[in-house]
């Protein structure tokens, strides 16, 4: 579980959100935190509380004997050419399982997303988590560097890399051919795009991701389960337009709004983590997977 965090003001969370999404430099982020470093709370302590703590917030460690894990290369002919991803599935499974494509945030395949892939595998699925940073050497071990690297990649090319990954997972011998996607932040935006572009997808679960253009709603025949944080003004601003487009198209979706939750509330490596809301959202996600992958 994550470390014990000090009381953090809403404005500090907004600063971190801007920093994490490239709207603030690290220097400006730290300068901005000075306004909230009061009552004996230092900028360094506040920044440490807001930053990811991967070492102490892992639910399932790599090497768990219940799982089979491998980092594998795959072809992405319309994207980077060669890509890599983390494939994990239940050990001892004698029959193919449904596939879950796990899509990372805007910093590459970090330890948290690998952990989420293991959680999906422990729930009985074949999970595949691509690393969009593979063409640049892979996730560099630090989120600041990962964000910088991911901004260097072409967005359309990266989307093709995730589309290729969905096909690779669908065709893997350990998979039944039924695949659902789940993504977080940038990955949530990709999960929305996959619902537009892959009509064979069994389902898609975007967590607080960006929205496709409304005219694309007509292409959505894939069931969507959408998770939003009530305090996430940046992402939520675009939701009404996409909601109205989905309604007009008769697209299948359900949406859950988590009161009091910040953007990134499912990520248990930062102070934005909301244990109760994250547990509820993940239980809904697994119930959705059961419905679309095992029915």
């Amino acid at each position: 579980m994550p470390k014990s965090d000090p009381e953090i003001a809403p404005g500090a969370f907004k600063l971190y959100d801007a920093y994490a999404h490239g709207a603030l430099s690290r220097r400006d982020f730290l300068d901005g935190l000075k306004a909230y470093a009061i009552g004996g709370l230092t900028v360094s302590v506040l920044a440490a509380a807001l930053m990811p703590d991967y070492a102490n917030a892992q639910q399932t460690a790599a090497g768990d004997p219940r799982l089979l894990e491998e980092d594998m290369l795959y072809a992405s002919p319309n994207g980077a050419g060669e890509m890599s991803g983390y494939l994990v599935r239940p050990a001892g499974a004698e029959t193919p399982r449904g596939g879950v494509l796990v899509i990372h945030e805007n910093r590459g395949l970090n330890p948290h997303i690998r952990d989420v892939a293991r959680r999906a595998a422990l729930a009985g699925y074949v999970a595949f988590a691509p690393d969009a940073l593979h063409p640049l050497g892979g996730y560099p071990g630090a989120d600041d560097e990962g964000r910088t690297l991911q901004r260097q990649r072409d967005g359309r090319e990266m989307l093709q890399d995730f589309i290729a990954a969905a096909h690779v997972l669908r065709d893997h011998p350990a998979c039944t051919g039924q695949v659902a996607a789940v993504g977080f932040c940038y990955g949530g935006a990709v999960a929305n795009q996959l619902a537009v572009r892959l009509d064979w997808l069994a389902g898609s679960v975007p967590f607080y991701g960006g929205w496709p253009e409304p005219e694309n709603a007509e292409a959505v025949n894939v069931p969507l389960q959408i998770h939003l944080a009530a305090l996430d003004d940046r992402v939520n601003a675009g939701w009404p337009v996409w909601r109205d487009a989905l309604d007009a198209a008769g697209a299948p979706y359900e949406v859950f709004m988590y009161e009091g939750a910040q953007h990134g509330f499912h990520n248990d490596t930062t102070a934005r983590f909301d244990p109760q809301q994250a547990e509820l959202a993940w239980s809904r996600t697994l119930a959705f997977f059961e419905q679309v992958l095992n029915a």
Side-chain angles (χ1 to χ4, degrees):
M1 295 302 292
K3 56 186 179 298
S4 177
D5 294 310
E7 189 71 24
I8 296 175
F13 280 117
K14 289 185 180 298
L15 281 171
Y16 177 73
D17 187 74
Y19 164 63
H21 294 93
L24 282 180
S25 68
R26 184 178 181 87
R27 174 175 291 182
D28 289 341
F29 167 58
L30 295 176
D31 283 345
L33 288 182
K34 291 176 182 177
Y36 304 100
I38 58 178
L41 183 62
T42 67
V43 168
S44 60
V45 169
L46 187 54
L50 288 163
M51 298 291 218
D53 182 4
Y54 295 131
N56 295 309
Q58 201 169 76
Q59 291 191 19
T60 306
D64 189 299
R66 296 171 293 176
L67 301 172
L68 296 177
E69 308 163 69
E70 62 175 307
D71 287 281
M72 57 177 273
L73 299 176
Y74 69 94
S76 178
N78 297 317
E82 180 188 83
M83 281 289 295
S84 70
Y86 175 55
L87 185 75
V88 55
R89 59 194 190 274
E94 297 181 356
T95 58
R97 306 295 183 96
V100 174
L101 186 70
V102 183
I103 308 169
H104 60 65
E105 307 121 320
N106 66 335
R107 63 212 69 168
L109 183 56
N110 62 36
H112 169 65
I113 296 300
R114 285 178 175 266
D115 191 18
V116 173
R118 289 191 289 272
R119 297 174 204 176
L122 284 176
Y125 302 103
V126 181
F128 189 43
D131 186 357
L133 300 186
H134 173 76
L136 301 175
Y139 175 70
D143 279 12
D144 280 356
E145 296 173 43
R147 279 190 292 269
T148 299
L149 289 173
Q150 193 157 319
R151 286 196 295 268
Q152 295 174 16
R153 292 218 51 207
D154 179 81
R156 291 168 296 182
E157 187 179 87
M158 280 196 294
L159 179 57
Q160 291 298 323
D161 294 334
F162 287 106
I163 289 173
H167 284 91
V168 167
L169 179 56
R170 181 189 65 180
D171 297 339
H172 194 281
C175 182
T176 61
Q178 292 289 101
V179 172
V182 60
F184 305 88
C185 188
Y186 163 79
V190 173
N192 279 318
Q193 289 289 347
L194 293 185
V196 170
R197 293 166 180 265
L198 298 179
D199 60 3
W200 55 264
L201 203 66
S204 193
V205 184
F207 275 73
Y208 33 78
W211 312 106
E213 293 299 322
E215 58 266 25
N216 290 324
E218 292 285 347
V220 177
N221 296 306
V222 173
L224 287 164
Q225 185 182 83
I226 300 164
H227 299 278
L228 299 174
L231 302 181
D232 189 0
D233 296 340
R234 177 178 53 82
V235 168
N236 294 349
W239 164 238
V241 173
W242 183 236
R243 176 200 62 207
D244 292 349
L246 290 174
D247 287 340
Y253 77 91
E254 59 182 347
V255 60
F256 298 102
M257 183 72 73
Y258 296 87
E259 294 302 320
Q262 301 277 349
H263 178 91
F265 73 88
H266 184 264
N267 187 330
D268 53 2
T269 71
T270 81
R272 298 180 298 177
F273 176 54
D274 186 316
Q276 289 75 35
Q277 302 284 44
E279 181 178 3
L280 177 58
W282 189 244
S283 70
R284 286 169 168 165
T285 300
L286 292 181
F288 179 79
F289 290 160
E290 174 68 25
Q291 176 185 347
V292 301
L293 294 175
N294 296 332

